[in-house]
Amino acid sequence: VLVPVERATVSVYDRGFLYGDAVFETIRTYEGEPFRLEEHIDRLGWSAERVGMKLTLSSADQVAEVRSALKKVEAERGEPGDLVARIMITRGEGPFGLDPAGATTPCRVLFIHPYRPLPDKDRTDGVSAITYATYRPSDAARGAKVGNYLESIVALREARARGAHEAIILGVDGQVLEGTTSNVFAVRGGRLLTPPTSLPILPGITRGLVLDAASDAGLVAEERPLAPADLHDADELFVTSTIRELLSITRIDDRPVGAGVPGPKTRALYEAFRRNAGLPPP
Ligand code: PDD
């Protein structure tokens, strides 16, 4: 059922609300076509499996549902522009208490929103980030996209209080993990560095595409643990996500990164990422 947001309701006994007992995905369209939809649906299935949640739709039906909802919203909207689809699946309603056995029917909500491009200034000047120390030693469901983002929310709140766009989460040993809703990359000499997925990070779909594009930009990709110093001493830094694609970080912890402006390697990677994905140049 497609309803206006103000008419959509979820139970107060829903475990997504009570415990963050949920998995989700965010997908965007480019000129009407959802980008890497099948990969997002695969990751959703994988996330659900990691937390022992049984989905009621097959992957094929889930793909079809997203496509048909996007089409309907596009037709009703009557204005051009890309859309964002967010699929939220909670374990559903259950009695109080952590034991998930009482929740038998997952609750699925599909949001369709207009895509809001980043401010031009963020693209041309890059943005600032802070590093944020946490005790994230591992996840309950490593690599799954689960509903509880409290650590990231607190980190982002700190970043915004310090006038920064993004917080880069550091793990329990001080190692670099990822942004609050992004993966992080450093360029040093001819190398493209990013933390490996053996650490508790989300294996971002954009991240994978950027690693694939490294050689096109004349870089050698290296997935290895990074220390904050690797970020501070980088020639170029950027974050990746479905929504932001590649976005230059030009200041970190109140210091400029490299020349303090978006770098040529990040630009080359961004162009290669778009080209490989069959998208027009940025
Ligand atoms: N989140 N790491 C985290 C913790 C994220 O939440 C996200 C994206 C990423 C990047 O993944 P991808 O390239 O597949 O989008 C990494 C989505 C966009 C969100 O905020 O809803």
Side-chain angles (χ1 to χ4, degrees):
V1 215
L2 209 55
V3 296
V5 278
E6 58 277 9
R7 288 204 1 240
T9 55
V10 172
S11 162
V12 291
Y13 286 102
D14 185 276
R15 294 176 58 94
F17 169 66
L18 293 176
Y19 306 117
D21 190 358
V23 295
F24 72 104
E25 278 299 322
T26 304
I27 303 137
R28 66 160 289 182
T29 67
Y30 287 98
E31 287 163 13
E33 177 60 24
F35 187 62
R36 301 276 164 166
L37 176 57
E38 283 76 8
E39 276 170 66
H40 281 280
I41 299 300
D42 282 351
R43 188 169 68 185
L44 186 67
W46 190 76
S47 296
E49 208 178 296
R50 293 282 298 172
V51 299
M53 203 185 279
K54 213 167 152 24
L55 301 185
T56 47
L57 277 193
S58 69
S59 292
D61 287 345
Q62 187 74 79
V63 164
E65 185 182 73
V66 172
R67 284 191 184 279
S68 101
L70 285 168
K71 285 231 159 60
K72 274 190 207 152
V73 171
E74 229 156 45
E76 275 175 20
R77 209 166 154 231
E79 54 177 292
D82 288 316
L83 297 172
V84 172
R86 170 151 170 180
I87 310 169
M88 188 81 208
I89 301 182
T90 77
R91 207 184 297 268
E93 283 181 58
F96 277 137
L98 289 191
D99 185 357
T104 50
T105 314
C107 166
R108 186 173 73 257
V109 179
L110 175 57
F111 298 84
I112 309 285
H113 289 150
Y115 172 76
R116 304 214 183 286
L118 290 178
D120 287 343
K121 195 175 175 323
D122 288 357
R123 281 263 168 247
T124 51
D125 299 355
V127 296
S128 60
I130 60 165
T131 51
Y132 185 84
T134 73
Y135 293 95
R136 190 194 293 184
S138 71
D139 279 280
R142 195 163 78 189
K145 201 162 164 68
V146 294
N148 194 325
Y149 266 54
L150 200 50
E151 180 189 80
S152 291
I153 290 165
V154 174
L156 187 63
R157 185 173 175 272
E158 171 78 13
R160 294 293 155 91
R162 288 168 53 187
H165 170 94
E166 178 61 299
I168 307 298
I169 307 284
L170 307 179
V172 72
D173 302 320
Q175 77 279 42
V176 174
L177 296 179
E178 61 183 343
T180 60
T181 51
S182 60
N183 292 110
V184 64
F185 286 82
V187 176
R188 188 95 201 261
R191 289 173 305 146
L192 176 66
L193 309 171
T194 198
T197 53
S198 53
L199 290 174
I201 64 170
L202 187 78
I205 290 170
T206 322
R207 175 187 180 279
L209 295 169
V210 167
L211 286 172
D212 291 346
S215 59
D216 294 342
L219 293 167
V220 176
E222 247 180 70
E223 292 174 75
R224 66 162 171 88
L226 301 177
D230 292 309
L231 304 185
H232 295 140
D233 299 341
D235 303 332
E236 299 177 29
L237 272 188
F238 63 90
V239 289
T240 62
S241 77
T242 296
I243 300 299
R244 282 167 286 184
E245 303 175 303
L246 285 74
L247 180 62
S248 288
I249 303 285
T250 46
R251 289 187 75 78
I252 181 127
D253 294 330
D254 295 322
R255 303 181 228 175
V257 177
V261 291
K265 293 294 184 193
T266 305
R267 180 78 199 172
L269 279 167
Y270 191 16
E271 283 169 7
F273 159 81
R274 301 267 313 190
R275 200 168 46 241
N276 295 347
L279 301 168

